[in-house]
Amino acid sequence: MEITFLEEATMVLNVEENRLRKENKLHKKDSCVDYFSMPYVFLALHVANCTSNEYLQNECLKRLMSSKPVMDTIMYRVDNYYGYYGCEQLQFIYDDVSKDEFTVFCWEAVREHLKKFDASIYDFPRTSAGELDMSYKSFEKRLTAGIFKICKWAYKDFLKEKCQERGLMLDGNHLSSYAMIRKVC
């Protein structure tokens, strides 16, 4: 009988949770999520999303959204794209909206996207032996790859939303054209 991802992940989390409870002398009612390393938080998020456990999901999201890989990915995208779309055509957006507002919008989009992370959509990293890979490097690589495009799409959505507030009906193709104009200028 083959073991499912959920069963395997639950076993790995239970072993880690028991170890942390003994090590830190935690009671049964205390949450271990604060003591998990980031790869285990990421695994716990997968399990929470698979089982629809909102409490565990929120605890994991709190930790992940303030983690270095998530913040670095968001800041990288915002730094690259702030002022990138549109020369004179979209300058009014950059005059009225700060970089921080773009960052917050991207952060919220990534948070909503992470609520969908589970083994059916995104495979959890595995070692060459087929076991769950709980190394920080694989966690960082998988998480960054999963949210990199989300930041770009969120940024484009924010620009489209601001343009529509001004009465301009722009879509993603227009924004890509403006980005090309920006490169040429």
Side-chain angles (χ1 to χ4, degrees):
M1 184 170 134
E2 190 174 313
I3 191 167
T4 65
F5 166 78
L6 187 57
E7 293 169 339
E8 183 181 14
T10 304
M11 284 189 303
V12 169
L13 282 176
N14 286 339
V15 168
E16 181 67 8
E17 185 176 347
N18 288 337
R19 186 187 69 76
L20 288 172
R21 284 192 188 286
K22 287 177 186 175
E23 190 177 284
N24 297 306
K25 297 179 178 143
L26 298 173
H27 299 287
K28 269 291 197 203
K29 63 182 177 183
D30 296 331
S31 173
C32 281
V33 175
D34 294 334
Y35 296 97
F36 281 156
S37 64
M38 279 302 162
Y40 283 97
V41 172
F42 191 51
L43 180 62
L45 178 66
H46 276 70
V47 170
N49 290 343
C50 287
T51 59
S52 301
N53 183 343
E54 288 186 30
Y55 174 75
L56 182 59
Q57 182 185 54
N58 288 332
E59 291 294 314
C60 294
L61 285 172
K62 268 190 241 174
R63 290 275 316 275
L64 282 175
M65 291 307 296
S66 61
S67 70
K68 185 173 175 14
V70 171
M71 293 308 294
D72 285 352
T73 302
I74 291 172
M75 292 310 297
Y76 176 79
R77 280 300 197 180
V78 170
D79 288 343
N80 276 354
Y81 285 114
Y82 187 78
Y84 182 73
Y85 290 101
C87 276
E88 300 97 28
Q89 296 86 350
L90 299 179
Q91 189 59 42
F92 67 89
I93 292 175
Y94 299 109
D95 291 340
D96 294 343
V97 179
S98 70
K99 196 183 248 189
D100 292 338
E101 290 178 72
F102 283 112
T103 305
V104 169
F105 191 85
C106 287
W107 189 88
E108 289 172 356
V110 167
R111 188 176 195 290
E112 288 303 310
H113 182 70
L114 283 176
K115 287 181 179 180
K116 301 172 193 163
F117 257 55
D118 64 13
S120 65
I121 299 172
Y122 295 101
D123 292 332
F124 196 83
R126 294 194 175 269
T127 62
S128 59
E131 299 169 357
L132 295 177
D133 188 355
M134 300 309 293
S135 68
Y136 190 83
K137 186 171 180 115
S138 66
F139 147 75
E140 187 175 34
K141 183 178 178 182
R142 181 71 211 116
L143 183 66
T144 303
I147 64 173
F148 203 68
K149 286 185 179 178
I150 301 304
C151 293
K152 181 179 180 179
W153 295 332
Y155 193 86
K156 279 185 169 183
D157 290 344
F158 188 76
L159 285 175
K160 288 190 284 187
E161 185 178 297
K162 289 298 177 185
C163 287
Q164 288 173 357
E165 287 175 8
R166 297 282 181 127
L168 298 174
M169 299 308 288
L170 295 179
D171 60 11
N173 292 333
H174 289 112
L175 291 174
S176 295
S177 298
Y178 286 149
M180 296 308 288
I181 291 170
R182 183 80 170 179
K183 280 184 183 178
V184 172
C185 295

